[in-house]
Amino acid sequence: MLDKDLFLLAKGSGRYVAATVALSVAAMLLNIAVTACICSVIALAAAGAEGREYLLPAAVAIACVVLRAPAGIAVNRIKARLGAKIRKELREKTYDKIVALGVRTTEEMSMAGLTQVSMEGIEQLDLYYSSYLPQFFYSVIAPFVLFAICVSVDWRTSLVLLACVPLIPLSIIAVSKYAKKIFAKYWGKYTAMGDGFLDGVQGLKELKIFKADARYHEKMNAKAEEFRKITMKVLVMQLASTTIMDLVAFGGAGAGVALALTGVSGGYLSPTEALFLILVAAEFFLPLRALGSAFHVAMNGASAGKKIKSLLDAEPPVWGDGEAGDGDIELKGVTFSYDGKRDVLKDVNMTFGKGMTAIVGKSGSGKSTAVGLITGALRPSAGKVLVGGKTFEEFSRESYYSRLAVVGYNTYIFNESVRENFRLAKRDVCDEEIYAALKKVDLDDFVRENGGPDKVITEDAGNISGGQKQRLALAVNLVADKDIYVFDEATSNIDVESEAVIIDNIRELSERAAVVMISHRLENVALADKIYFLKDGKVGESGSHAELCVKCGEYAELYNTQKSLENGYLGFAKGGA
Ligand code: ADP
């Protein structure tokens, strides 16, 4: 009923929980005192007491009622403060972890899953800590406190009431195994539905073009239906377990009432003592009954908590504190595996210095994995990655990233103005610098004619073409003025003119910076100082384009195949025209 992992996840919340429990017990004692006062007033009335004799119990009762209100308010305030603290801490931790994991995050958990867990999941967890945990401790303590009070009135009734109390947690435990499974499934279906929805919205254009939207609609409906069914299962389970707990709670209280009445008829209990026991009998069970209701909320939070914990437990790549070395990037005898089973890179040796170095190879040969290793997002299972002779553990990510730029095939452009996108790369960039960079990528006229640097780029760069987007991404990175540039398929899927502009810039850059170029199109890397041809995760061949062509190996074969395919296409295009 208590999860150790979740307990540890919210370290430092103990004093809030302790304060809530202490105040709840105090409020309960005040309630009991009011009940006792009422009973004594009845006893006084039965004995025909005079007016003055009622003063003391009446005054005590009023004092208790007056004190009870602030205790209740304080409990709610502390719970709210604890909830806010937990939400803030967990969101910060999750955010920090996402940042620390860097580019790996989205591979291990989908974007929709991350959003759901860090928003709604943490909201549910808040209830676990602020409602369930204090209620848990309170419901364990309360029956014993009540027993200690009632035992002086009648030990038999008190013992029966206390003995019936564990039946509630037993019934909770009985459903908890089943509940755990259902809640794990519930979250699974929930995130799957979120993923599907996001996927559908993002791929709406493709779905429409392929006329596959109706099919996707049905798929989405099926996912929604599965989610509805699991939600209903959760509700049915909650209702059933509440009914069971009610039976136990009221059954137990009933047993106590029956015993108290037997005490009156047996002559060993006065009617007022029996009345007191009858009035407090339900109090034995109510805290645990409330715990049972909170339990389902807690289970939901616990499932979300497990996901948050697995994210928080993911080992981020280790970085050091020093300055990154100013020298070549070297992969020395690097072996890498994503899953610990299959080696994606095997004993790879590569060096990237000033000038252009290319990594080529067929799809799946390990090019992007090599980029991950160069950027420090992935770490080798064996061998070393060195920057200026230092490992990543020796220098800070900030110092390395202040020298490194990565332009991928789908570099993100923010839904902001052109100027704001440039300001990400250089805070104090001026319009002259922006236009100079835009000129290099042949976008200056386009931007000038379309609202200048204040032109807002819509989400996912929807209001510019793919080629323009890639050229803009390059211009932003040019302004950043780094000394290591990694181009990972930066010219994939764009128009020929944009490709030529980008390649020209990359060549120019390679005269002053270290350029690592990943391209499946070998024509683009022919000018590189050195080319590494990857095959099945190994460096199959390496050398300049001329050297590799002379070798007549697999590189030359792939180059010639691509060339003849392109020529064939051109011939076809000309013939067709
Ligand atoms: P390339 O960039 O040359 O196409 P990659 O480096 O992307 O190749 O992939 C190399 C191999 O690693 C492929 O077999 C691919 O399936 C596998 N791979 C890539 N990314 C992951 C990942 N996140 N988890 C598991 N396997 C991966």
Side-chain angles (χ1 to χ4, degrees), residues 101-140:
L101 286 174
V103 293
R104 268 176 51 204
T105 328
T106 48
E107 284 161 17
E108 264 142 50
M109 209 188 246
S110 70
M111 222 45 208
L114 264 182
T115 318
Q116 280 164 326
V117 162
S118 56
M119 298 307 292
E120 206 180 324
I122 288 178
E123 217 60 44
Q124 301 274 5
L125 253 186
D126 151 16
L127 292 173
Y128 178 88
Y129 293 109
S130 62
S131 295
Y132 180 73
L133 265 191
Q135 188 64 35
F136 178 85
F137 291 111
Y138 171 60
S139 4
V140 171

Side-chain angles (χ1 to χ4, degrees), residues 74-119:
V75 165
N76 286 337
R77 282 218 178 126
I78 297 174
K79 278 186 177 178
R81 204 175 297 166
L82 173 61
K85 178 177 171 296
I86 296 283
R87 277 200 302 269
K88 184 167 175 285
E89 275 179 13
L90 283 181
R91 290 219 164 100
E92 271 171 10
K93 276 189 196 166
T94 314
Y95 176 77
D96 287 347
K97 181 58 86 170
I98 290 171
V99 172
L101 286 174
V103 293
R104 268 176 51 204
T105 328
T106 48
E107 284 161 17
E108 264 142 50
M109 209 188 246
S110 70
M111 222 45 208
L114 264 182
T115 318
Q116 280 164 326
V117 162
S118 56
M119 298 307 292

Side-chain angles (χ1 to χ4, degrees), residues 357-361 522 525-534 539-560:
T357 314
I359 308 175
V360 297
L522 302 188
V525 301
L527 273 182
D529 301 292
K530 185 150 190 177
I531 299 167
Y532 291 102
F533 179 76
L534 283 185
V539 178
E541 296 166 33
S542 65
S544 69
H545 174 71
E547 285 164 358
L548 291 176
C549 283
V550 171
K551 260 191 197 167
C552 291
E554 288 194 47
Y555 171 88
E557 196 183 317
L558 190 62
Y559 179 79
N560 290 330

Side-chain angles (χ1 to χ4, degrees), residues 315-372:
E315 277 296 324
V318 181
W319 294 87
D321 301 319
E323 283 292 309
D326 185 9
D328 293 354
I329 302 168
E330 293 167 278
L331 267 62
K332 280 192 166 176
V334 165
T335 296
F336 178 84
S337 166
Y338 283 100
D339 52 9
K341 291 177 205 145
R342 184 171 67 98
D343 287 337
V344 172
L345 289 182
K346 298 158 204 153
D347 194 19
V348 167
N349 290 295
M350 295 196 252
T351 305
F352 307 92
K354 212 173 143 204
M356 193 197 295
T357 314
I359 308 175
V360 297
K362 289 184 184 162
S363 173
S365 59
K367 301 183 293 293
S368 297
T369 307
V371 169

Side-chain angles (χ1 to χ4, degrees), residues 63-352:
C64 289
V65 170
V66 170
L67 283 173
R68 172 78 180 74
I73 293 170
V75 165
N76 286 337
R77 282 218 178 126
I78 297 174
K79 278 186 177 178
R81 204 175 297 166
L82 173 61
K85 178 177 171 296
I86 296 283
R87 277 200 302 269
K88 184 167 175 285
E89 275 179 13
L90 283 181
R91 290 219 164 100
E92 271 171 10
K93 276 189 196 166
T94 314
Y95 176 77
D96 287 347
K97 181 58 86 170
I98 290 171
V99 172
L101 286 174
V103 293
R104 268 176 51 204
T105 328
T106 48
E107 284 161 17
E108 264 142 50
M109 209 188 246
S110 70
M111 222 45 208
L114 264 182
T115 318
Q116 280 164 326
V117 162
S118 56
M119 298 307 292
E120 206 180 324
I122 288 178
E123 217 60 44
Q124 301 274 5
L125 253 186
D126 151 16
L127 292 173
Y128 178 88
Y129 293 109
S130 62
S131 295
Y132 180 73
L133 265 191
Q135 188 64 35
F136 178 85
F137 291 111
Y138 171 60
S139 4
V140 171
I141 295 170
F144 288 102
V145 174
L146 280 167
F147 178 75
I149 295 168
C150 296
V151 78
S152 59
V153 181
D154 178 34
W155 66 268
R156 297 174 202 83
T157 312
S158 312
L159 208 62
V160 166
L161 287 170
L162 189 68
C164 289
V165 166
L167 293 176
I168 294 188
L170 282 179
S171 76
I172 299 176
I173 291 167
V175 287
S176 77
K177 267 207 170 134
Y178 177 61
K180 238 182 202 165
K181 263 192 215 153
I182 285 204
F183 275 116
K185 245 190 186 171
Y186 171 86
W187 269 97
K189 301 267 181 216
Y190 186 36
T191 48
M193 192 176 68
D195 285 348
F197 180 71
L198 196 67
D199 225 24
V201 171
Q202 281 174 341
L204 199 58
K205 196 173 70 199
E206 282 73 13
L207 290 175
K208 286 277 177 203
I209 288 171
F210 294 130
K211 293 199 169 65
D213 50 335
R215 206 150 30 99
Y216 200 85
H217 184 166
E218 277 163 25
K219 236 167 116 179
M220 206 56 230
N221 279 352
K223 277 192 180 152
E225 177 61 14
E226 278 177 28
F227 180 61
R228 188 191 67 81
K229 277 188 184 153
I230 193 82
T231 310
M232 288 301 142
K233 260 191 179 173
V234 166
L235 292 177
V236 166
M237 180 213 33
Q238 284 178 345
L239 208 66
S241 74
T242 313
T243 312
I244 293 171
M245 281 188 304
D246 277 346
L247 281 175
V248 173
F250 294 116
V257 169
L259 212 67
L261 291 176
T262 320
V264 178
S265 57
Y268 55 85
L269 269 183
S270 72
T272 22
E273 283 171 333
L275 179 65
F276 176 76
L277 290 173
I278 289 167
L279 288 176
V280 298
E283 291 279 348
F284 271 83
F285 303 95
L286 292 181
L288 270 161
R289 166 74 183 71
L291 180 76
S293 305
F295 180 70
H296 298 290
V297 176
M299 290 296 287
N300 208 356
S303 294
K306 293 262 180 241
K307 288 198 179 235
I308 292 171
K309 195 168 178 306
S310 74
L311 174 72
L312 293 181
D313 283 348
E315 277 296 324
V318 181
W319 294 87
D321 301 319
E323 283 292 309
D326 185 9
D328 293 354
I329 302 168
E330 293 167 278
L331 267 62
K332 280 192 166 176
V334 165
T335 296
F336 178 84
S337 166
Y338 283 100
D339 52 9
K341 291 177 205 145
R342 184 171 67 98
D343 287 337
V344 172
L345 289 182
K346 298 158 204 153
D347 194 19
V348 167
N349 290 295
M350 295 196 252
T351 305
F352 307 92

